[in-house]
Amino acid sequence: HAGASVLEYGCGGGSDARSYAVRGANVTACDIVPENLVAAANRFGEIACLDGKFTMPSFVHLVVSNPLPFEDASFDVVTSHGVVHHIVEPDSVVAEFARVLKPGGVCYLMLYTENLWSKFVKQIYDLVVRHGIPEREAFAWCTDGAGAPYARSYTDAEGRELFECAGLKVEKATTWLNGLFRTFKTRKTQQ
């Protein structure tokens, strides 16, 4: 994606944004957690000192439940790795991905799978029955640590429905790490 405009939604520490940037993409890194943006910017500062052969990304603090602060058809690529499965109502977020993608643009998104849920089913059951923690919060505790508020798993069909309802055509769905995670490659249909 050299030369492409890339939006990373939920950049965390910035490793994916960095990967795109060092390969020549123009990156906008977003997160709802200000500390993540600081960590990502610091990561870029470190590599800028090493070679400086990339364009420094834009860093944008997002506000939960607000539309993305970008014009329609602003990006060639939207990527979100390990974020959407933590959103209680993800339909509007994925619709925003489709809105900011250029026609023909690509969206890469990783979701937790039903196999990851199965891996933790005994721990989830224990947290729900013995400790009264809601099921999806219990799953989040298993995947992301105690206190994580929400996570859900998606089957292949559920992931496809999420994207297709937003006008994104699934081109490929790949599971990895023994089927615990599924990455979807989708494309915005021409309009």
Side-chain angles (χ1 to χ4, degrees):
H1 297 292
S5 55
V6 175
L7 172 66
E8 183 181 12
Y9 182 87
C11 68
S15 61
D16 288 352
R18 177 191 182 279
S19 181
Y20 279 99
V22 298
R23 289 170 174 80
N26 299 308
V27 178
T28 301
C30 303
D31 209 293
I32 64 169
V33 180
E35 294 82 8
N36 287 348
L37 295 170
V38 170
N42 287 339
R43 172 169 282 171
F44 278 93
E46 292 168 5
I47 60 171
C49 294
L50 296 176
D51 60 20
K53 296 178 183 175
F54 65 92
T55 303
M56 191 71 161
S58 302
F59 295 95
V60 178
H61 178 241
L62 299 175
V63 178
V64 177
S65 78
N66 280 5
L68 292 174
F70 309 108
E71 298 293 324
D72 294 357
S74 298
F75 296 95
D76 299 302
V77 176
V78 173
T79 182
S80 186
H81 188 86
V83 176
V84 171
H85 48 242
H86 292 294
I87 299 171
V88 177
E89 296 179 12
D91 295 348
S92 62
V93 173
V94 176
E96 279 293 286
F97 294 168
R99 181 187 67 77
V100 302
L101 269 175
K102 295 176 183 176
V106 177
C107 179
Y108 298 101
L109 201 139
M110 184 278 282
L111 297 171
Y112 290 159
T113 68
E114 64 280 11
N115 292 340
L116 186 61
W117 180 279
S118 294
K119 177 181 177 180
F120 291 116
V121 74
K122 289 179 183 175
Q123 293 95 320
I124 294 166
Y125 178 80
D126 184 59
L127 288 167
V128 169
V129 172
R130 292 188 184 179
H131 303 286
I133 296 171
E135 191 174 79
R136 292 200 170 150
E137 184 178 345
F139 181 49
W141 282 34
C142 294
T143 59
D144 294 88
Y150 179 90
R152 68 161 287 186
S153 61
Y154 286 82
T155 64
D156 183 76
E158 291 167 334
R160 288 174 186 276
E161 181 180 0
L162 177 66
F163 300 117
E164 289 167 2
C165 287
L168 298 171
K169 182 180 180 194
V170 176
E171 292 185 346
K172 187 176 185 180
T174 306
T175 58
W176 45 282
L177 201 57
N178 297 317
L180 300 179
F181 308 100
R182 184 177 289 112
T183 300
F184 290 88
K185 176 184 179 186
T186 68
R187 189 169 303 274
K188 183 174 181 177
T189 55
Q190 300 293 331
Q191 295 178 348

